Amino acid sequence: PRGLRPGSRQAGSSFGHGWAPPRAGHGEWHASKLAVTIAIMFASDLPPGEWSAILVGDYWPGAGVLDVLAAAANARQRSATHLHGYADQLRAISQAHLAGQEGATADAARHLFSRGEEQARATAERNGATRRSYESARQSVAAPRETLTQIADNGNTAIRRIQESSAPASAKVAGIVQVITDAQTQARAK
């Protein structure tokens, strides 16, 4: 097909990977098609809008990141719960089965069970602290999404107005570039 010749370099291609944009008259490239292509490449949960990928895509915390942090927090919670249960079992064994026994061996066993319980509880507490850290990180990552969604919405609306205007093409391009620059500057600040 025209415009894409795998394994070969087309005249005028600066990419060197066998790809060049179509030549004039063989399918025009438009900025809106580029925006759609970029949105597809991101294949994420970007805010709605044809230009959202360009406007805030570089700063958008995707759902995958949020899912990983949530899964990590849940895993740490499960570990903490299991370790507290294990510590409870060690205490129950020590109190029920070793309480009436006397001698050096019984004392050593009680000491080992007590030490095991302490270690399990300490590890459970560390897992709990790590869980809280993951939850905090998830909240910090999720917080900008609302603001970035608003920036994308405003940018898409402004670009749509520019595209629908009767201004000359050069003025439209300049206006769209300005909207993109402004949106990216705002997104970077969030």
Side-chain angles (χ1 to χ4, degrees), residues 99-155:
Q101 297 184 17
E102 296 178 15
T105 304
D107 290 342
R110 275 191 291 275
H111 174 72
L112 290 173
F113 273 89
S114 176
R115 196 169 106 208
E117 177 189 354
E118 289 171 9
Q119 288 175 346
R121 292 206 191 280
T123 304
E125 291 304 317
R126 284 192 301 275
N127 273 277
T130 304
R131 174 193 56 86
R132 289 186 295 278
S133 294
Y134 282 133
E135 288 173 347
S136 176
R138 185 180 188 286
Q139 290 169 357
S140 295
V141 169
R145 287 171 60 107
E146 187 174 319
T147 303
L148 292 171
T149 298
Q150 187 61 47
I151 292 169
D153 184 51
N154 293 343

Side-chain angles (χ1 to χ4, degrees), residues 88-101 110 113:
D88 291 342
Q89 288 176 348
L90 290 174
R91 176 177 280 176
I93 290 170
S94 177
Q95 290 176 348
H97 298 290
L98 299 175
Q101 297 184 17
R110 275 191 291 275
F113 273 89

Side-chain angles (χ1 to χ4, degrees), residues 6 13 15 17 28 56 64 68-69 74 114 116 130 157-159 162 173 176 182 186-189:
S13 173
F15 297 106
H17 300 290
E28 297 296 321
V56 298
V68 167
L69 290 169
N74 289 336
S114 176
T130 304
T157 301
I159 291 172
I162 292 168
V173 169
I176 290 171
D182 292 346
Q186 291 173 23
R188 189 177 316 116

